[in-house]
Amino acid sequence: MNEGFADYFAGSILNTHWILFFTGGPDGNGFRDLLNTRRFPEDYASEPHYNAPIFSGMLWDIRAALGQTMTDDLMVRTMELNGQNPSDDVTFFSFCRDLTRMDDMLYGNNDPFDGTPHLNEICTGCQNHGIETSYCKVCAPTEADDDSDQWKN
C-alpha cells in the first residue's frame, strides 16, 4: 500500500496519472499508470511494486469522482485514522472501509450505518479494482458485519 500511496500523491500533486518508476512498471515499461483496470485478486502478486497500481488505481478513480481536494483530504485523514491504532493491520479492504467512515465523519452525520455522503463514489472506485467491503453493499452495513482482511500488503 505504501507504493500505492506514493504513486497516488505524486500523481495528484502533479495532476497526472503517469508515474515514472525507476526499474520499470508492472508491464515492463518505465511507468505506472494510475488510470488503470488492475484488480484484486487477479492482478495481485507478492511484490509490493507490482501491487501498487491496484491500490493507486482505486484512489485515482475516487479522485476522478470527488475531485483532487476532497480526495486528498479523505486520504490523509484516513491515513491518520489508521495511524491511531498501529497494532491493526491496514489492508486494501480496511482502507476502503475506513474511507467510507472518514467520509461520514467529515461530510455526514458520523453514523456510517445509514450510509455516507459519497458512498457511491468511494465504493465504485474500490469495486472497480476488486476491493470489496461490507460498507459498500447495496444496503447499509450492520454492526455485525466484518470485513475479512485476509490479504495484506
Side-chain angles (χ1 to χ4, degrees), residues 58-123:
M58 174 195 85
L59 301 177
W60 197 256
D61 285 359
I62 295 169
R63 182 185 189 268
L66 298 180
Q68 177 185 7
T69 301
M70 182 179 289
T71 305
D72 288 359
D73 189 43
L74 274 171
M75 295 306 134
V76 169
R77 301 243 185 162
T78 303
M79 291 169 70
E80 290 171 346
L81 176 70
N82 291 150
Q84 292 175 6
N85 210 353
S87 64
D88 288 347
D89 290 322
V90 179
T91 66
F92 290 163
F93 304 98
S94 67
F95 195 83
C96 182
R97 178 199 62 218
D98 291 345
L99 274 174
T100 63
R101 290 176 176 171
M102 184 54 66
D103 179 49
D104 205 51
M105 284 187 230
L106 294 174
Y107 306 108
N109 64 359
N110 206 19
D111 181 8
F113 296 105
D114 66 358
T116 73
H118 306 101
L119 185 68
N120 289 336
E121 293 88 346
I122 293 168
C123 290

Side-chain angles (χ1 to χ4, degrees), residues 1-102:
M1 288 179 55
N2 293 337
E3 291 294 323
F5 282 126
D7 288 354
Y8 170 78
F9 281 112
S12 189
I13 290 167
L14 297 172
N15 200 32
T16 180
H17 59 91
W18 289 105
I19 302 300
L20 183 61
F21 185 56
F22 72 97
T23 60
D27 299 322
N29 61 31
F31 295 93
R32 287 198 291 232
D33 189 356
L34 304 180
L35 186 59
N36 69 67
T37 59
R38 301 276 308 278
R39 292 181 53 81
F40 180 88
E42 301 92 322
D43 298 310
Y44 188 83
S46 60
E47 209 285 314
H49 297 92
Y50 188 83
N51 296 326
I54 298 170
F55 189 67
S56 61
M58 174 195 85
L59 301 177
W60 197 256
D61 285 359
I62 295 169
R63 182 185 189 268
L66 298 180
Q68 177 185 7
T69 301
M70 182 179 289
T71 305
D72 288 359
D73 189 43
L74 274 171
M75 295 306 134
V76 169
R77 301 243 185 162
T78 303
M79 291 169 70
E80 290 171 346
L81 176 70
N82 291 150
Q84 292 175 6
N85 210 353
S87 64
D88 288 347
D89 290 322
V90 179
T91 66
F92 290 163
F93 304 98
S94 67
F95 195 83
C96 182
R97 178 199 62 218
D98 291 345
L99 274 174
T100 63
R101 290 176 176 171
M102 184 54 66

